[in-house]
């Protein structure tokens, strides 16, 4: 029985919180709200930081003998206390972690019931010692810091089983060779108060509905929870590939447990056969090495409950259209629809645990528990290729709109380069939990303490390649880089007030970093708002083109890939995104799409070095490469090998104004790459 829909809600206070769980409590004067939601989506709680009390009455026939009932809460931001018919059922912690509470006795005693929830999501006052594992929802410079995501944001239901319930079900692909595929299913079987003999059945069906495997096994279960590992083997299993390498055949795994000939419980997941291997920061899928081109993906909406399936599928399609291989799910666990769409469309996902910047020492146990839950929740998705324990484990204290102070900058620098409790203890503990839970994927402790934001926080946009030549280790996998740009959907900025925009509002609540923007695109240099917007977008596009090409020139030597920051805004913002909150593209989106083409001729604008990068599995024999510099054309003909970077020659671009390079081949057509040299040389607009 689904319990989504209309509930009654009220702001929490000490005395009311003691009374409201009672079945006969009068909530007639409370506010009606529709769950799932975040409480700030309701006018009555639009400014609230909680806690908020919720009640729902429902009727349900008593269960038949031998049947068990559970209250299931798929996700609650962030802490929750649960009562059923006035009796305390338990607590929840972890916004994406599913929780279940047995309510069989309550359902057997009566047909009329009341569920009561007290939900809290307190703001983290000390941003360097946070206690809630909420990632970007709790502390981030990419969204309004005053937003509170509190509330039951995922479905709530009453579920029924027989004597044995499947309390946990983790599915991992441990082999995907040409000869066979193997799935490892780890089941937690709850037999209740008595031991019982059960029969497990598993059916795997292919993408066309044909049965690939039917398996049965006996299980003698003790009272309480039993953990059982079952390996399912399919000969000649269809293999799943990222979209750049092949097709995405998805299979359905249906596992049930029977007691005395009746189905007691079942679980169904869609998964696939594929292997992910990592050598350092270079990844292969099913034995095929892949240079990973990606972007950081923020929450689809900060009010994540309101994100629609259509919006999420569109984002995945837009990433593919930009020639990206993956999205890094930055500092959060997303809605289930993201992982489903990525599986179907062949887009890989780098998955962060929701840890962002600094944490209190008491958070370690909870973070480890939630790391295990994340693997259980997402491990069956073939699109997930990497677990990351922590996004940026540094002491970031800068408030929106605040200039850097010497002390805060020094603390940031110190925690970036020196050992800290966060990096050495918290991240190590979480990474160990992830890798033990899932041995099939690479696990990293953090996304990197250093992110080379050359051209934004540091130096100029042309400084990335020289820095990587000096410190090659920094270029193994660059997980963040970029620059802010003003969006095209900007009515909320009140551009008619130019130049007297509400700069404090933009800085405090809409992400704009005025100090950095003033260096690369000073508003006072623009004649009007439109010129300023275009200047910021031109700068962002030039930076992305140059730095992506710099990283592609280092393909596998040592770079295994990159993730630009960021893909799309979760709310109105002047940010690093290339798609604004309405998914209107900035010029940076086109720059990424062009710079990430599978086959790309390139000119290194500092020295005039001509290269061709080929990410495909096709050898381009007889390819024609032409470099046009101010009307003077140099031509080469030769072979471009597969999955590599090829040096072609050199041209003089010292005084050049108009430069382009092209490649022509029957397999690719004519590919043209043009350069905004005035921006690339000076590092400014």
């Amino acid at each position: 029985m689904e319990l989504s829909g209309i509930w009654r809600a009220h702001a929490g206070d000490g005395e009311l919180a003691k009374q409201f769980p009672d079945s006969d409590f009068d909530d007639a004067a409370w506010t009606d709200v529709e769950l799932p939601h975040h409480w700030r989506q309701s006018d009555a709680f639009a400014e609230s930081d909680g806690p908020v009390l919720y009640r729902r009455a429902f009727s349900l026939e008593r269960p038949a003998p031998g049947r068990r009932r559970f209250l299931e809460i798929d996700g609650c931001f962030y802490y929750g206390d649960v009562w059923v018919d006035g009796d305390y059922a338990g607590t929840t912690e972890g916004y994406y972690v599913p929780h279940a509470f047995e309510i069989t006795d309550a359902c057997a005693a009566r047909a009329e019931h009341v569920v009561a929830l007290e939900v809290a999501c307190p703001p983290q006052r000390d941003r360097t010692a946070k206690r809630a594992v909420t990632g970007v929802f709790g502390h981030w410079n990419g969204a309004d810091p005053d937003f509170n995501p509190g509330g039951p944001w995922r479905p709530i239901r009453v579920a029924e089983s027989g004597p044995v319930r499947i309390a946990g079900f983790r599915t991992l692909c441990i082999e995907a060779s040409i000869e066979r595929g193997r799935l490892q299913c780890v089941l937690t079987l709850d037999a209740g108060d008595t031991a019982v003999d059960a029969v497990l059945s598993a059916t795997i069906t292919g993408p066309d509905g044909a049965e690939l495997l039917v398996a049965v096994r006996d299980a003698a279960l003790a009272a309480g929870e039993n953990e059982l590992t079952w390996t399912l083997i399919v000969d000649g299993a269809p293999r799943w590939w990222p979209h750049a390498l092949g097709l995405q055949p998805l299979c359905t795994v249906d596992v049930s447990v029977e007691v005395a000939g009746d189905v007691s419980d079942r679980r169904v997941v869609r998964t696939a056969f594929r292997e992910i291997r990592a050598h350092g920061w270079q990844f292969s899928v099913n034995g095929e090495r892949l240079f990973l081109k990606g972007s950081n993906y923020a929450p689809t909406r900060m009010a994540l409950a309101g994100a629609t399936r259509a919006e999420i599928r569109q984002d995945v399609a837009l990433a593919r259209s930009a020639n990206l291989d993956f999205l890094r799910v930055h500092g959060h666990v997303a809605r289930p629809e993201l992982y489903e769409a990525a599986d179907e469309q062949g887009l890989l996902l780098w998955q962060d645990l929701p840890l962002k910047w600094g944490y209190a020492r008491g958070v370690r146990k909870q973070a480890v528990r939630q790391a295990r839950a994340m693997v259980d929740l997402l491990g069956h998705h073939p699109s997930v290729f990497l677990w990351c324990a922590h996004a940026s484990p540094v002491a970031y204290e800068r408030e929106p709109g605040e200039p850097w102070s010497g002390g805060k900058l020094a603390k940031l620098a110190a925690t970036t380069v020196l050992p800290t409790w966060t990096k050495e203890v918290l991240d190590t503990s979480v990474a160990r939990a992830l890798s033990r839970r899932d041995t099939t994927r690479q696990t990293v402790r953090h996304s990197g303490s250093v992110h080379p934001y050359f051209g934004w926080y540091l130096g100029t946009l042309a400084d990335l390649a020289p820095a990587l030549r000096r410190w090659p280790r920094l270029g193994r996998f660059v997980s963040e880089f970029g620059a802010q740009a003003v969006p095209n959907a900007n009515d909320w900025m009140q551009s008619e007030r130019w130049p007297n925009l509400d700069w404090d509002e933009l800085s405090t609540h809409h992400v704009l970093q005025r100090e950095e923007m003033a260096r690369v695109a000073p508003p006072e240099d623009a004649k009007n708002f439109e010129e300023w917007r275009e200047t910021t977008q031109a700068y962002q596009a030039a930076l992305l083109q140059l730095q992506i090409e710099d990283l592609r020139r280092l393909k596998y030597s040592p770079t295994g890939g990159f993730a630009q920051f960021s893909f799309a805004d979760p709310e109105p913002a002047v940010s690093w995104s290339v798609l604004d909150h309405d998914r209107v593209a900035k010029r940076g989106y086109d720059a990424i799409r062009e710079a990430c083409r599978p086959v790309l001729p390139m000119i290194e604008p500092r020295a005039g070095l001509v290269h061709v990068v080929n990410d495909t599995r096709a050898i381009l024999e007889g390819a024609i490469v032409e470099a046009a510099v101010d009307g003077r054309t140099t031509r080469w003909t030769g072979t471009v090998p597969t999955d590599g970077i090829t040096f072609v020659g050199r041209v003089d671009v010292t005084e050049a104004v108009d430069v382009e390079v092209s490649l022509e081949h029957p397999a690719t057509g004519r590919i043209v790459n043009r350069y905004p040299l005035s921006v690339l040389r000076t590092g400014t607009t």
Side-chain angles (χ1 to χ4, degrees):
M1 179 180 182
E2 292 294 332
L3 295 181
S4 299
I6 302 301
W7 288 56
R8 298 283 178 83
H10 195 283
D13 63 57
E15 191 59 35
L16 189 61
K18 297 176 183 178
Q19 302 172 4
F20 90 107
D22 295 343
S23 297
D24 56 358
F25 180 84
D26 184 3
D27 59 17
W30 285 25
T31 301
D32 286 349
V33 296
E34 186 168 1
L35 300 191
H37 85 156
H38 304 275
W39 63 59
R40 287 206 175 187
Q41 293 177 295
S42 171
D43 290 342
F45 309 104
E47 303 297 327
S48 176
D49 282 325
V52 174
L53 312 178
Y54 297 88
R55 284 172 53 89
R56 165 74 187 262
F58 65 96
S59 300
L60 192 61
E61 291 183 0
R62 291 175 172 83
R67 305 295 290 176
R68 301 169 68 189
R69 294 233 175 108
F70 299 84
L71 179 68
E72 297 181 344
I73 301 175
D74 285 350
C76 183
F77 253 114
Y78 170 74
Y79 303 100
D81 286 290
V82 185
W83 293 263
V84 176
D85 299 337
D87 293 327
Y88 188 65
T91 185
T92 74
E93 182 175 353
Y95 80 86
Y96 59 88
V97 180
H99 291 82
F101 307 95
E102 183 157 9
I103 57 172
T104 304
D105 291 345
C107 289
R110 61 187 67 83
E112 302 297 324
H113 305 283
V114 173
V115 176
L117 305 177
E118 180 176 13
V119 182
C121 190
Q124 302 299 289
R125 302 302 182 189
D126 184 347
R127 300 295 181 90
T128 63
K130 300 186 294 293
R131 296 184 176 275
V133 184
T134 53
V136 298
F137 294 102
H139 183 200
W140 188 36
N141 60 355
D144 185 349
D146 289 346
F147 176 73
N148 190 309
W153 73 283
R154 295 279 291 132
I156 301 174
R157 72 184 67 83
V158 175
E160 187 171 290
S161 77
V164 177
R165 176 176 181 266
I166 302 177
F169 183 40
R170 180 170 72 255
T171 302
L172 303 171
C173 178
I174 57 177
E175 182 181 352
S177 63
I178 295 175
E179 293 79 16
R180 66 178 184 176
R182 290 191 298 151
L183 297 179
Q184 183 189 76
C185 298
V186 180
L187 296 98
T188 302
L189 302 173
D190 177 6
D193 296 332
T194 59
V196 64
D197 291 327
V199 177
L200 295 175
S201 300
T203 302
I204 300 178
T205 55
D208 58 357
E211 287 186 350
L212 303 178
L213 176 73
V214 177
V216 178
R217 64 177 290 182
D218 294 330
L221 305 178
E225 290 192 348
N226 303 256
E227 186 170 279
L228 180 149
T229 300
W230 194 4
T231 300
L232 305 175
I233 303 174
V234 176
D235 292 332
R239 296 199 290 177
W240 183 97
W241 297 90
H243 70 88
L245 297 178
L247 301 177
Q248 296 79 48
L250 295 171
C251 300
T252 301
V253 180
D254 187 335
V255 174
S256 63
V257 55
E258 296 181 8
V259 177
D262 294 325
V263 174
S264 182
D265 204 4
R266 66 185 299 209
R267 293 290 183 270
V268 180
V269 297
R270 278 209 311 172
T271 188
F273 295 93
R274 66 95 188 89
E275 289 182 7
I276 297 288
R277 294 290 181 266
H279 179 68
W281 279 97
Q282 296 178 22
F283 294 86
S284 64
V285 182
N286 301 333
E288 289 284 341
R289 189 167 60 167
L290 182 63
F291 183 83
L292 291 173
K293 306 181 292 288
S295 182
N296 284 261
Y297 188 68
T300 314
R301 302 291 175 204
M302 290 306 289
L304 201 52
T308 67
R309 178 181 177 85
E311 288 177 325
I312 294 169
R313 295 185 67 84
Q314 179 192 32
D315 283 353
V316 172
L318 286 167
R320 278 195 52 166
S321 295
N323 295 312
L324 298 181
D325 301 302
F326 80 100
L327 292 174
R328 174 188 167 198
V329 188
H330 185 95
H332 75 289
V333 172
R335 291 184 61 95
E337 293 87 348
L338 175 69
Y339 307 94
E340 294 165 4
D343 290 347
E344 293 168 5
Q345 298 186 42
L347 189 74
L348 293 168
L349 298 175
W350 160 329
Q351 181 60 58
D352 285 349
L353 187 74
L355 293 176
K356 183 74 174 176
W357 296 326
Y359 285 85
R361 299 198 172 200
V363 80
R364 180 166 66 124
K365 183 176 180 180
Q366 187 59 227
V368 166
R369 185 184 74 83
Q370 293 190 35
R372 298 190 186 109
M374 184 174 72
V375 175
D376 294 351
L377 186 69
L378 304 178
H380 62 280
H381 289 288
S383 55
V384 176
F385 76 94
L386 178 75
W387 304 117
C388 179
H390 196 153
S392 305
V394 297
Y396 188 100
E397 295 182 88
R398 185 188 189 189
E399 296 298 324
E402 176 189 15
W404 279 110
S405 68
K408 290 185 177 181
L409 193 57
K411 189 172 183 179
L412 175 66
T415 56
T416 296
V417 299
L418 298 176
T420 63
W421 176 87
T422 298
K423 290 187 284 188
E424 302 304 318
V425 179
L426 175 61
D427 295 358
T428 299
S429 299
V430 172
R432 184 184 299 117
L434 290 168
S435 60
R436 287 178 175 174
R437 202 72 162 185
D438 181 2
T439 61
T440 71
R441 295 175 173 92
Q442 174 87 338
T443 296
V444 295
R445 288 193 302 166
H446 49 73
S447 63
S449 299
V450 179
H451 293 123
Y453 279 96
F454 289 106
W456 187 249
Y457 295 121
L458 304 168
T460 74
L461 54 79
D463 290 339
L464 177 62
L468 296 184
R469 282 197 296 270
R470 186 170 184 180
W471 299 290
R473 187 177 178 84
L474 297 180
R476 291 178 304 163
F477 204 105
V478 178
S479 58
E480 291 183 35
F481 63 97
Q484 291 190 344
V486 176
N488 291 316
N490 53 47
D491 290 347
W492 54 273
M493 294 181 68
Q494 298 179 296
S495 59
E496 68 278 2
R497 295 177 52 182
W498 180 266
N500 299 314
L501 304 182
D502 191 338
W503 297 105
D504 290 338
E505 173 73 11
L506 293 175
S507 299
T508 303
H509 298 291
H510 297 285
V511 183
L512 173 65
Q513 294 187 338
R514 293 174 66 181
E515 186 176 340
E516 287 76 10
M517 185 67 81
R519 288 195 301 109
V520 302
E524 60 270 18
D525 289 353
K527 298 183 180 68
N528 51 49
F529 178 86
E530 288 72 24
E531 182 178 298
W532 181 54
R533 180 197 65 207
E534 287 302 307
T535 298
T536 66
Q537 291 198 22
Y539 181 80
Q540 182 192 58
L543 181 149
L544 293 175
Q545 178 186 3
L546 177 63
Q547 295 188 2
I548 288 173
E549 291 188 8
D550 283 342
L551 293 166
R552 296 190 75 179
R553 276 185 280 270
L554 297 175
K555 181 174 181 175
Y556 303 143
S557 298
T559 304
F562 61 82
Q564 167 267 346
F565 191 84
S566 60
F567 192 63
D569 286 327
E571 60 187 19
V574 180
S575 82
W576 301 263
S577 74
V578 294
L579 297 170
D580 63 33
H581 69 289
D582 283 340
R583 297 329 189 237
V584 179
K586 304 175 187 177
R587 291 175 59 178
Y589 178 82
D590 293 331
I592 289 178
R593 183 180 59 201
E594 298 295 301
C596 291
R597 285 175 285 182
V599 177
L600 186 69
M602 303 180 290
I603 294 180
E604 206 282 342
R606 307 166 188 86
L609 305 178
V610 181
H611 295 82
V612 175
V613 63
N614 179 9
D615 291 340
T616 73
R617 269 51 188 171
I619 299 173
L620 306 179
E621 295 183 355
I624 300 171
V625 176
E626 292 184 343
V629 181
D630 290 340
R632 301 184 307 276
T633 300
T634 305
R635 179 171 175 161
W636 301 268
T637 301
T639 297
V640 178
T642 180
D643 190 29
I645 179 77
T646 302
F647 174 68
V648 176
R650 184 171 184 170
V651 294
D652 184 5
V653 295
T654 306
E655 302 295 332
V657 175
D658 185 14
V659 174
E660 73 173 36
V661 61
S662 65
L663 177 144
E664 191 162 1
H665 188 271
T668 63
R670 188 166 186 264
I671 301 169
V672 179
N673 196 3
R674 296 184 175 86
Y675 291 88
L677 284 186
S678 61
V679 177
L680 299 182
R681 282 203 190 102
T682 63
T684 68
T685 51

